[in-house]
């Protein structure tokens, strides 16, 4: 096929399509004239004008069909499309089908009865206008006939082929451009005449289809293949492929575009899959349109379902209005020529120019209304019977509740009509009043029938409302329908009441009819259903508890079952608020009714379980039951105050509701008395909160006793000692303590709310009792070196456990800022105790390290052998080596941080040990004439060597323990001061004794102790000068007190864990001098006063000294 042939085919194909659209236009215009018996039209016209699917051509048949319509079709005849012509056999003339003769009713026309002629003329003008716009139709028909006669045995050509290809391409070029964008529908129909509306719609439809063809790339395929189905396209493509293969002897590759034909607009023609592109795009378009239509349909269905009856009424009203307008338009043609109105006055009323006709129409309508109202009473029995049938027929069906609503709406119309009839006939605004007895006699039978039907409807509504809870959950639409059925009566009653109030006050009406009272009965039934639901739930749990529990455990099981049932009922308050309440009108206050029932029923059962409002049976409950009771009251309070915020501020109520049910309905029983409902909820809330306070106090008492009992058991039992692979010593104390506390706190947290005050108080009680027990029992774990190391490790782990436990608790709870501060303060105190105890245990190792040192070295230090033979400071070296051995053990037994603390205490203990041994030698020296040492100079040198050996050892640890450096200077200053004072006393130093006495006072901070130490030092090297030095110190007393006054915090430090026994010079001196028996150059009363002060300040040390003594 060459390009010229393709172009010719495309041009004529488009002409055929235009011809088909023009025929479709004429057909639709004539369908209004044909009526119900209009001629058939082949669907293939819409796809290119083809008259028969079996014909290979796609355009000729359409033209033949359109040209063969008989003029009688305009009057209602039936026309069959003709078959396309054949070269050898001419098409037979179509025969008219036999139609059933219609019955024609003759109407006497008005003088100007030419309406049908005007209409016929108008449609003829439209058809001729459409034919002129698509003038190529006749030329295409003539060319088709010529080609059909001269075709011979060749296959029939597509419609529209022939003529000059280039000219056809040029004429069709305008179809290849993308159509312009359409204006909006609002702009397109603005000021558009009704007769031009269909034409404008057709133009927009052609533009939309053309745009789709262009955007989808279907123009070339449409020009080549036509709008044929998949079967025709496949057959034709297969035939062309066979011809091409037989003529060229080559096969085109399926995987490349080599040898494929390119259309006029650049689209592939004949490619693999291209023959079905039209079908694919059509299917995609169809699917997209179906999807959009389904969305629109769903939205419309939602709107209709929301108010189906109102939509139906609106549709009926629109239909009636259209009928009236059409009738009026027809009437105006009988009395006018139909051409007087211009476009500018189209919106005016049709009868504005015909006042007499308008009066006649109004009179006819009024008469019709009068007769309709008169006939109303005759239809009441049949209407009631029909409504009864509908009411009973819809029972136990899916549409039961919507049926009740529909029946109620019709029934209330009957009641409205009868009530208004009685009101109008007996009095009111009517000037023609009748005798009341006559009116009652006339209306009696109708009233009885209608109101009996109302009673039946009310029974059905009450039956549905009785199961409102389940109905709202399972069928919300049904519940809404039921409520609407109730409210329609109330709206009618309110409207009638308002109408009566608007009437004049002079009217004396004696109406006896009232609308069926639906809402009061429905509210009462709803309240009873709510209350019975709660009662049945408690009755069920009581029966189950009695069946399942033994006699001994029956009470506990029953209490647990009651709380469980109460929790379920309170939980349903939120369900009613969010799922059930939207199904009811707001003035029903369903959440208030349900909450009042729940509060009344639950409070009665719980108060019975605890022995009354004062909680007499609370001591008999277990701690778990107390927790559950406290948690339930908090949950109830939170739910009620969240649902009804005004209840939170009502802490005092005037009335109690122990024995009676609160009256929740107003005087007419049609509305809920929210004041009574709120007051009853506030009373129950306050009463249960008092129960909460009593239960919480009992729970906290139980928590204290349970915590103390468990901690006594843990701290009193023997712990299991463990040693890790690294040598670290631990015991089971940490696991024993926190396994209990974690379980206890987890149990409390799981049963109480995240904001519960009881949870805060319980946590604080447990933590404070753990702290108290630790303070009282911590020294029991310091028995030897290994237990001190294990205790230090245990207390460190306990501090970490406590921090993790509190962090987990805070992350899972929602405490206020004040409560959070309270918990953190309590936990910080406990963690502080554990941490200080860990350090104290590590520093206490010096007691057990220096026990063997005192036995081996202390008795030999400062003796004659130390002075004469130990020229290399052997005892100091032995002391240092012993400390090295213990240091290695401590590194294995404890953490590195605690090893540093231990070495600090060992350094201080070394200084105190050395000074103590020196002062003990002064206590033993009874000679007041000669020094204690044989050679004071040699003794002082030996002391210098010992101090250097000890200091070098600790300075060697500084690289590993940098924190030791600042303590070395501070601790060894004591020994340097003692050595310098002894040198001054012996005369080997030119320093002033007063300066070093001041230094000693700064460390001791007690003038009496300073006097004793300085006197003992002078007693060792210069006994004859001892009195002098005592007097010197006494003369410096005011200066000493000013520089270093008595520290009042010393008494507090004795009980503080920062104070470790045996590491203070003043403490060591107090213990030594309390037991001293040496005579000193002071008065006895002065000695007694000093001892008394020492005993007051160092009571612990004095008592210990007395025990040892």
């Amino acid at each position: 096929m060459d390009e010229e042939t393709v172009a010719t085919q495309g041009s004529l194909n488009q002409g055929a399509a235009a011809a088909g659209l023009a025929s479709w236009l004429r057909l639709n215009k004539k369908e209004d004239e044909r009526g119900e018996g209009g001629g058939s039209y082949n669907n293939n016209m819409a796809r290119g004008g083809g008259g028969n699917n079996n014909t290979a051509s796609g355009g000729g048949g359409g033209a033949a069909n359109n040209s063969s319509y008989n003029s009688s079709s305009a009057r209602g005849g039936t026309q069959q499309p003709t078959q396309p012509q054949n070269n050898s056999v001419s098409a037979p003339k179509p025969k008219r089908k036999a139609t059933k003769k219609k019955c024609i009713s003759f109407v006497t026309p008005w003088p100007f009865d030419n309406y049908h002629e005007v209409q016929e003329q108008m449609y003829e003008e439209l058809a001729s206008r459409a034919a002129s716009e698509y003038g190529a139709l006749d030329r295409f028909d003539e060319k088709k006939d010529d080609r059909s006669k001269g075709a011979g045995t060749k296959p029939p050509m597509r419609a529209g082929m022939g003529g000059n290809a280039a000219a056809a391409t040029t004429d069709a070029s305008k179809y290849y451009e993308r159509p312009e964008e359409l204006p909006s529908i609002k702009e397109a129909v603005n000021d558009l005449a009704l007769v031009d509306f269909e034409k404008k719609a057709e133009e927009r439809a052609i533009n939309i289809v053309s745009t789709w063809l262009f955007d989808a790339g279907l123009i070339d395929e449409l020009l080549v293949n036509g709008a044929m189905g998949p079967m025709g396209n496949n057959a034709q493509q297969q035939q062309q492929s066979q011809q091409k293969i037989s003529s060229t002897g080559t096969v085109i590759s399926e995987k490349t575009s080599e040898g494929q034909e390119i259309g006029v607009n650049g689209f592939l023609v004949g490619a693999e899959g291209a023959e079905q592109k039209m079908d694919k795009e059509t299917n995609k378009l169809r699917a997209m349109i179906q999807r959009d239509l389904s969305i629109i349909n769903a939205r419309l269905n939602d709107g209709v379902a929301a108010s189906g009856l109102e939509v139906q009424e609106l549709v009926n009203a629109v239909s009636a209005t259209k009928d009236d307008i059409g009738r009026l338009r027809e009437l105006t043609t009988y009395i006018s020529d139909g051409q007087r109105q211009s476009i500018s006055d189209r919106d005016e009323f049709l009868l504005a120019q015909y006042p007499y006709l308008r009066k006649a129409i109004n009179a006819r309508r009024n008469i019709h209304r009068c007769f309709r109202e008169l006939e109303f009473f005759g239809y009441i029995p049949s209407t009631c019977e029909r409504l009864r049938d509908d009411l009973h027929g819809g029972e136990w069906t899916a549409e039961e509740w919507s049926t009740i609503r529909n029946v109620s709406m019709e029934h209330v119309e009957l009641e409205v009509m009868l009530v208004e009839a009685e009101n109008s006939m007996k009095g009111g605004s009517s000037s023609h009043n009748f005798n009341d007895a006559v009116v009652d006699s006339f209306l009696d039978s109708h009233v009885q029938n209608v109101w009996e039907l109302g009673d039946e409807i009310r029974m059905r509504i009450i039956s549905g409302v009785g199961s409102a809870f389940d109905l709202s959950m399972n069928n919300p639409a049904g519940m809404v329908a039921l409520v609407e059925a109730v409210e329609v009566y109330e709206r009618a009653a309110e409207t009638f009441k308002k109408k009566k109030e608007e009437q004049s006050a002079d009217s004396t009406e004696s109406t006896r009819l009232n609308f069926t009272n639906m809402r009061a009965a429905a509210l009462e039934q709803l309240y009873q259903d709510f209350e019975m639901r709660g009662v049945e739930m408690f009755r069920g749990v009581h029966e189950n508890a009695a069946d399942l529990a033994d006699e001994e455990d029956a009470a506990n099981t029953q209490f647990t079952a009651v709380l469980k049932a109460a929790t379920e009922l309170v939980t349903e308050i939120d369900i009613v608020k969010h799922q059930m309440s939207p199904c009811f009108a707001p003035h029903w206050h369903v959440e208030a009714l349900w909450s009042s029932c729940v509060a009344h029923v639950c409070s009665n059962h719980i108060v019975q379980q605890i022995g009354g409002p004062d909680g007499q049976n609370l001591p008999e409950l277990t701690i778990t039951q107390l927790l559950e009771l406290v948690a339930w009251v908090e949950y109830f309070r939170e739910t009620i105050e969240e649902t009804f915020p005004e209840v939170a501020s009502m802490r005092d109520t005037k009335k109690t509701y122990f024995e009676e049910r609160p009256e929740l309905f107003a005087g007419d029983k049609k509305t809920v008395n929210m004041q009574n409902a709120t007051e009853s909820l506030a009373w129950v809330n306050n009463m249960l909160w008092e129960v909460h306070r009593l239960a919480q106090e009992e729970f906290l008492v139980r928590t204290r006793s349970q915590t103390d009992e468990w901690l006594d058991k843990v701290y009193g039992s023997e712990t299991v000692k463990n040693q890790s692979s690294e040598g670290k010593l631990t015991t089971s104390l940490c696991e024993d303590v926190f396994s209990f506390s974690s379980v206890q706190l987890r149990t409390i947290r799981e049963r109480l709310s995240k904001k519960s005050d009881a949870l805060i108080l319980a946590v604080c009680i447990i933590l404070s009792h753990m702290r108290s027990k630790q303070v009282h029992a911590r020294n029991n774990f310091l028995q030897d070196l290994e237990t001190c190391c294990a205790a230090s490790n245990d207390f460190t782990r306990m501090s970490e456990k406590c921090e993790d436990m509190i962090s987990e608790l805070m992350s899972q709870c929602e405490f206020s800022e004040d409560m959070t501060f309270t918990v953190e303060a309590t936990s910080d105190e406990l963690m502080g105790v554990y941490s200080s105890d860990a350090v104290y245990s590590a520093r206490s190792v010096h007691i057990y390290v220096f026990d063997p040192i005192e036995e081996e070295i202390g008795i030999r230090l400062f003796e004659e052998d130390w002075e004469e033979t130990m020229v290399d400071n052997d005892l100091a070296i032995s002391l240092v080596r012993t400390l090295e051995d213990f240091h290695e053990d401590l590194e294995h037994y404890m953490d590195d941080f605690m090893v540093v603390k231990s070495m600090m205490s060992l350094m201080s203990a070394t200084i105190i040990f050395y000074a103590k041994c020196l002062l003990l030698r002064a206590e033993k020296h009874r000679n007041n004439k000669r020094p204690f040492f044989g050679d004071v100079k040699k003794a002082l040198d030996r002391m210098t060597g010992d101090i250097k050996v000890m200091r070098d050892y600790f300075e060697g640890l500084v690289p590993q323990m940098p924190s030791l450096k600042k303590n070395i200077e501070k601790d060894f200053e004591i020994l340097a001061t003692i050595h310098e004072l002894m040198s001054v006393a012996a005369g080997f130093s030119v320093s002033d004794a007063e300066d070093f006495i001041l230094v000693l006072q700064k460390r001791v901070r007690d003038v009496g102790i300073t006097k004793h130490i300085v006197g003992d030092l002078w007693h060792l090297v210069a006994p004859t000068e001892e009195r002098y030095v005592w007097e010197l110190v006494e003369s410096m007393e005011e200066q000493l007190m000013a520089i270093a006054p008595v520290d009042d915090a010393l008494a507090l430090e004795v009980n503080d864990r920062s104070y470790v026994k045996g590491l203070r010079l003043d403490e060591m001196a107090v213990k030594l001098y309390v037991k001293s028996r040496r005579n000193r150059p002071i008065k006895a009363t002065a000695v007694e006063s000093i001892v008394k002060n020492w005993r007051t300040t160092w009571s612990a040390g004095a008592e210990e000294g007395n025990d040892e003594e």
Side-chain angles (χ1 to χ4, degrees):
M1 181 182 296
D2 57 346
E3 295 182 0
E4 180 178 358
T5 306
V6 172
T8 304
Q9 275 189 329
S11 175
L12 296 180
N13 241 342
Q14 292 181 356
L21 290 174
S23 301
W24 177 81
L25 177 64
R26 289 200 301 272
L27 176 63
N28 281 275
K29 293 298 183 290
K30 291 181 180 181
E31 281 181 354
D32 294 339
E33 301 173 4
R34 295 201 307 271
E36 294 296 328
S40 61
Y41 182 69
N42 198 308
N43 291 333
N44 291 330
M45 277 292 190
R47 294 190 299 270
N52 195 317
N53 284 340
N54 297 328
T55 307
S57 66
N65 290 342
N66 292 330
S67 62
S68 62
Y69 278 102
N70 194 288
S71 61
S72 63
S73 62
R75 295 184 294 272
T78 304
Q79 176 67 36
Q80 296 291 338
T82 61
Q83 300 294 332
Q85 296 180 1
N86 193 290
N87 293 333
S88 59
V89 181
S90 61
K93 184 178 183 180
K95 296 180 180 181
R96 179 179 298 174
K97 290 185 178 180
T99 59
K100 183 178 179 180
K101 186 176 182 181
K102 295 184 178 179
C103 296
I104 302 175
S105 60
F106 297 94
V107 180
T108 302
W110 282 42
F112 299 99
D113 192 6
N114 59 349
Y115 177 73
H116 63 285
E117 296 177 359
V118 174
Q119 294 291 89
E120 183 177 3
Q121 181 180 359
M122 179 180 65
Y123 286 123
E124 289 293 342
E125 291 178 358
L126 291 175
S128 61
R129 189 187 307 171
S132 63
E133 292 181 0
Y134 303 100
L137 178 64
D138 295 333
R139 294 195 304 271
F140 292 156
D141 292 340
E142 293 173 1
K143 292 178 181 180
K144 172 187 70 63
D145 295 337
D146 296 338
R147 287 193 302 272
S148 300
K149 293 178 181 180
T153 58
K154 293 182 180 180
M157 302 292 289
R158 288 181 178 82
M161 291 188 63
N164 191 292
T169 304
T170 303
D171 295 338
S173 62
K174 62 180 180 179
Y175 296 103
Y176 295 160
E177 298 178 359
R178 193 179 190 276
E180 298 181 356
E181 295 292 336
L182 290 173
S184 63
I185 297 178
K186 183 177 180 180
E187 297 176 357
V189 301
N190 188 23
D191 296 334
L192 184 67
L194 182 62
V195 295
D196 298 332
F197 185 82
E198 293 186 2
K199 176 184 175 183
K200 177 64 68 175
E202 292 165 5
E203 292 177 356
R204 291 178 66 87
I206 294 172
N207 188 292
I208 292 172
V209 175
S210 302
T211 303
W212 171 70
L213 290 173
F214 186 88
D215 293 341
L218 299 175
I219 296 177
D220 288 332
E221 183 176 354
L222 185 63
L223 295 176
V224 175
N225 300 328
M228 299 175 62
M231 295 301 295
N233 286 335
N234 293 339
Q236 184 176 3
Q237 294 292 339
Q238 185 176 3
Q239 182 179 2
Q240 293 176 359
S241 177
Q242 291 177 359
Q243 292 176 358
K244 190 177 297 184
I245 293 174
S246 61
S247 61
T248 61
T250 60
V251 179
I252 300 176
S253 174
E254 295 181 356
K255 297 183 180 180
T256 65
S257 59
E258 183 179 352
Q260 295 178 351
E261 183 179 355
I262 304 300
V264 176
N265 291 330
F267 299 107
L268 291 176
V269 177
E272 181 182 1
E275 65 274 3
Q276 295 182 357
K277 187 174 183 180
M278 171 69 77
D279 300 317
K280 292 180 180 179
E281 294 296 333
T282 304
N283 292 335
K284 287 168 57 177
L285 180 63
R286 183 183 295 110
M288 180 179 66
I289 294 175
Q290 288 178 352
R291 182 174 64 253
D292 295 341
L293 290 177
S294 64
I295 295 174
I296 297 173
N297 184 45
R299 292 180 178 175
L300 290 175
N301 289 338
D302 293 341
V304 173
S307 56
L309 186 60
E310 288 80 357
V311 174
Q312 185 62 40
E313 292 177 357
L314 179 61
V315 172
N316 295 337
V318 172
S319 301
T321 304
K322 289 174 62 178
D323 295 340
D324 292 343
I325 292 175
R327 179 62 178 167
L328 288 175
R329 183 181 289 110
E330 183 179 355
L331 291 174
T332 57
T333 59
Y334 294 158
I335 59 176
S336 66
D337 56 2
Q339 303 295 329
R340 294 179 59 184
Q341 278 187 324
S342 61
I343 297 177
S344 60
D345 59 355
R346 288 180 184 274
D347 296 334
E348 296 182 1
F349 295 104
L350 296 175
L351 296 181
Q353 300 178 3
Y354 313 106
Y356 293 102
L357 181 59
R358 182 170 59 185
K359 291 181 180 179
I361 294 297
N362 292 339
R364 182 175 65 84
R365 289 178 177 175
N366 292 335
I367 293 173
H368 175 71
R369 180 181 178 185
C370 293
F371 279 104
R372 182 172 59 83
E373 293 179 356
L374 289 175
E375 292 174 355
F376 165 75
F377 293 98
Y379 291 123
I380 287 179
S382 61
T383 302
C384 291
E385 192 64 30
R386 177 177 59 81
L387 293 179
R388 282 190 178 91
D389 294 340
D390 294 344
L391 186 65
H392 296 298
E395 192 173 4
W396 305 111
T397 62
E399 294 80 15
E400 178 180 4
W401 313 116
S402 59
T403 302
I404 294 176
R405 176 181 58 187
N406 298 335
V407 171
S408 299
M409 289 182 174
E410 292 191 44
H411 175 261
V412 79
E413 292 179 0
L414 299 178
E415 289 192 351
V416 168
M417 187 66 72
L418 290 175
V419 171
E420 289 184 349
E422 184 196 35
N423 182 56
S424 300
M425 288 188 287
K426 287 185 177 182
S429 60
S430 176
S431 61
H432 302 286
N433 298 334
F434 301 94
N435 184 272
D436 292 351
V438 175
V439 174
D440 293 341
S441 176
F442 173 72
L443 297 177
D444 187 58
S445 60
H446 303 302
V447 169
Q448 182 180 1
N449 196 0
V450 172
W451 261 257
E452 286 180 355
L453 176 60
D455 293 338
E456 295 181 17
I457 296 174
R458 179 168 56 189
M459 292 177 61
R460 292 292 304 279
I461 291 176
I462 290 175
S463 176
V465 171
S467 58
F469 203 96
D470 297 332
L471 185 60
S472 299
M473 298 298 106
N474 301 325
N475 187 8
M479 191 70 251
V480 171
L482 206 58
V483 174
E484 289 179 353
V486 174
E487 288 300 310
V488 70
Y489 290 93
E490 297 305 320
R491 286 196 295 268
E494 292 173 0
T495 303
F496 180 71
K497 182 179 178 181
K498 183 178 180 181
K499 179 180 178 182
K500 289 178 63 178
E501 292 175 353
E502 292 175 353
Q503 292 176 354
S504 61
D506 300 336
S507 62
T508 56
E509 304 156 30
S510 58
T511 56
R512 65 183 178 89
L513 295 181
N514 293 313
F515 291 94
T516 304
N517 192 355
M518 293 290 184
R519 188 191 293 170
L523 284 174
E524 182 65 25
Q525 183 63 38
L526 184 64
Y527 187 47
Q528 292 179 2
D529 175 62
F530 284 167
E531 191 172 26
M532 288 303 300
R533 182 180 178 86
V535 172
E536 289 295 330
M537 183 170 290
F538 279 105
R539 182 181 301 157
V541 298
H542 283 309
E543 293 176 355
N544 293 336
D547 295 338
L548 299 177
D550 300 333
E551 294 182 0
E552 298 179 357
D553 198 33
N556 294 335
T557 306
Q558 186 176 14
F559 181 83
T560 304
V562 168
L563 285 183
K564 182 179 179 181
T567 303
E568 292 181 4
L569 292 177
V570 175
T571 303
E572 290 178 350
I573 292 178
D574 190 67
I575 298 176
V576 170
K577 178 180 178 181
H578 294 94
Q579 299 185 23
M580 186 175 179
S581 181
C583 299
F584 292 82
H587 52 266
W588 284 56
H589 298 291
V590 178
E591 64 275 9
L593 293 177
W594 175 251
S595 301
S596 299
C597 293
V598 170
H600 180 70
V601 174
C602 294
S603 61
N604 286 338
H605 283 81
I606 289 177
V607 168
Q608 292 176 5
Q609 291 294 321
I610 64 174
D614 53 352
Q616 296 180 359
N617 296 337
L618 288 177
E620 300 177 3
L621 301 179
T622 63
I623 190 171
T624 303
Q625 291 174 338
L626 290 172
L627 267 177
E628 292 176 350
L629 177 59
V630 170
W632 183 86
V633 175
E634 291 177 350
Y635 177 53
F636 174 82
R637 183 184 182 90
E638 181 182 359
T639 304
I640 290 297
E641 293 183 356
E642 181 181 356
T643 307
F644 306 96
E646 61 275 12
V647 174
S649 59
M650 300 175 63
R651 297 308 179 198
D652 295 325
T653 54
K654 301 178 181 179
K655 189 177 180 181
T656 60
Y657 300 88
F658 280 113
E659 301 297 337
E660 60 179 340
R661 186 180 71 175
E663 183 61 39
L664 300 183
F665 301 108
D668 57 358
K669 307 294 183 181
K670 293 183 178 181
T671 57
V672 177
N673 191 335
M674 284 302 297
Q675 182 178 359
N676 291 348
T678 305
E679 187 176 354
S680 66
L681 289 173
W683 176 82
V684 173
N685 189 37
N686 297 334
M687 185 269 295
L688 289 177
W689 195 247
E690 180 63 21
V691 173
H692 172 274
R693 184 186 65 81
L694 297 174
Q696 179 175 286
E697 291 179 356
E698 182 67 24
F699 161 69
L700 295 178
V701 171
R702 300 279 190 87
T703 301
R704 289 191 192 95
S705 59
Q706 189 179 35
T707 303
D708 290 339
E709 180 182 356
W710 181 261
L711 290 176
D712 290 340
K713 182 178 179 181
V714 170
Y715 280 89
S717 61
E718 184 177 357
T719 58
V720 179
K721 297 180 181 180
N722 302 313
Q723 188 171 12
S724 66
S725 59
E726 298 177 355
K728 300 296 186 290
L729 296 177
T730 58
T731 65
S732 60
L733 177 64
C734 178
E735 287 73 16
D736 294 341
V737 171
F738 280 91
S739 61
F740 157 72
S741 58
S742 298
V743 170
Q744 192 175 23
L745 289 179
R746 188 183 305 111
T747 303
I748 297 173
R749 187 181 67 246
E750 289 175 352
R751 284 169 170 77
L752 296 179
S753 64
K754 296 181 179 180
K755 302 178 181 179
S756 175
D757 293 340
L759 175 59
I760 297 291
L761 295 175
V763 171
C764 293
I765 286 175
I766 293 174
L767 296 180
S768 62
H769 280 250
M770 292 173 63
R771 177 183 178 277
S772 177
K773 191 62 180 179
Q774 173 68 18
V775 170
H776 286 85
R778 56 192 175 186
N779 291 334
N780 298 334
F781 300 96
L782 309 179
Q783 303 298 327
D784 52 30
L785 179 67
E786 294 183 354
T787 56
C788 287
C789 296
S792 178
N793 295 332
D794 288 338
F795 297 154
T796 302
R797 294 191 300 126
M798 292 169 73
S799 177
E800 296 173 354
K801 283 275 190 180
C802 180
E803 183 178 5
D804 295 341
M805 182 178 67
I806 297 302
S807 299
E808 181 183 1
L809 177 68
M810 299 299 291
S811 64
Q812 296 179 357
C813 297
E814 299 175 0
F815 300 143
S816 62
E817 293 184 1
D818 295 339
M819 295 295 100
T820 302
F821 177 78
T822 302
V823 173
E824 290 179 351
T826 306
S827 61
D828 289 344
E829 290 180 0
L830 179 58
M831 289 187 289
V833 168
Y834 285 144
S835 299
S836 61
D837 286 348
V839 175
Y840 181 87
S841 300
R843 298 183 65 187
S844 297
V845 297
H846 77 91
I847 299 174
Y848 307 102
V849 170
F850 276 89
D851 280 345
I853 292 176
E854 287 184 357
E855 294 178 357
E856 296 294 332
I857 300 176
I859 59 175
R860 300 168 57 190
L861 197 61
F862 301 110
E863 293 295 334
E864 185 178 358
D865 291 341
W866 168 80
E867 179 184 353
E868 297 294 338
T869 60
M870 297 182 182
V871 294
D872 295 329
N873 306 104
D874 297 337
L875 291 180
I877 294 173
S878 177
L879 172 63
V880 168
R881 289 178 178 175
T882 304
L883 294 177
E884 288 179 350
D885 294 339
F886 280 107
H887 180 210
E888 293 180 358
D889 294 337
L890 293 175
E891 286 182 337
H892 284 86
Y893 293 160
M894 290 191 300
D895 295 332
D896 295 339
F897 177 77
M898 293 302 169
V899 172
V900 176
K901 298 296 182 181
S902 298
M903 294 309 298
M904 288 182 179
S905 67
L906 289 178
M907 182 173 62
S908 300
T910 302
I911 304 302
I912 300 303
F913 165 75
Y914 198 82
K916 179 181 178 182
C917 293
L918 182 61
L919 295 179
L920 284 175
R921 299 301 178 265
E923 180 69 21
K924 292 171 59 177
H925 183 54
R926 303 293 182 175
N927 194 334
N928 296 328
K929 302 295 183 180
R930 290 184 302 164
F932 174 76
F933 300 104
D935 188 347
V936 176
K937 175 64 175 171
K938 185 184 296 185
L940 293 176
D941 293 340
R942 195 78 67 233
M943 288 179 62
T944 303
D946 291 342
I947 295 172
K948 184 177 183 304
V949 170
M950 293 185 292
R951 181 164 184 158
D952 290 343
Y953 168 70
F954 287 108
E955 287 181 347
L957 298 177
V958 170
Q960 302 177 12
M961 307 173 186
S963 57
L964 282 177
K965 184 175 182 179
K966 62 180 181 178
N967 291 333
I968 291 176
E969 292 292 338
K970 179 181 177 182
D971 289 346
F972 279 91
E973 184 184 18
I974 296 175
L975 295 182
T977 302
I978 292 175
H979 183 273
E980 189 64 23
L981 286 173
M982 292 176 68
S983 299
V984 171
F988 298 116
S989 176
V990 295
S991 301
D992 292 334
E994 292 86 348
D995 296 337
F996 290 95
I997 291 174
L998 292 175
V999 174
L1000 185 62
Q1001 170 65 16
K1002 291 180 181 179
R1003 297 303 302 269
V1004 176
R1005 307 182 71 86
D1006 189 287
V1007 177
I1009 297 176
T1010 302
K1011 290 179 182 180
H1012 279 70
I1013 294 176
V1014 173
D1016 286 349
L1017 295 179
W1018 252 257
H1019 181 69
L1020 286 173
V1021 296
T1024 58
E1025 302 292 332
E1026 183 178 359
R1027 179 176 293 276
Y1028 162 77
V1029 77
W1030 272 87
E1031 293 175 355
L1032 176 63
V1033 176
E1034 287 180 356
S1035 65
M1036 297 175 59
E1037 185 170 353
E1038 293 182 0
Q1039 185 179 2
L1040 295 176
M1041 290 293 294
I1043 293 177
V1046 177
D1047 191 358
D1048 296 333
L1050 290 176
L1052 300 177
E1053 291 182 1
V1054 172
N1055 297 321
D1056 189 5
R1057 298 307 278 182
S1058 62
Y1059 162 73
V1060 180
K1061 294 179 180 181
L1063 299 181
R1064 292 177 64 100
L1065 180 62
D1066 49 357
E1067 177 198 3
M1068 180 271 295
V1070 167
K1071 293 180 180 180
L1072 181 64
Y1073 295 137
V1074 166
K1075 298 182 292 183
S1076 176
R1077 296 292 183 265
R1078 188 174 73 85
N1079 294 325
R1080 291 177 173 84
I1082 57 175
K1083 297 179 181 180
T1085 55
V1087 175
E1088 292 176 358
S1089 176
I1090 293 173
V1091 172
K1092 183 179 179 180
N1093 293 334
W1094 290 341
R1095 289 183 183 275
T1096 303
T1097 305
W1098 301 96
S1099 57
E1103 291 175 1
E1104 184 178 349
N1106 291 335
D1107 295 340
E1108 292 178 359
E1109 187 178 12

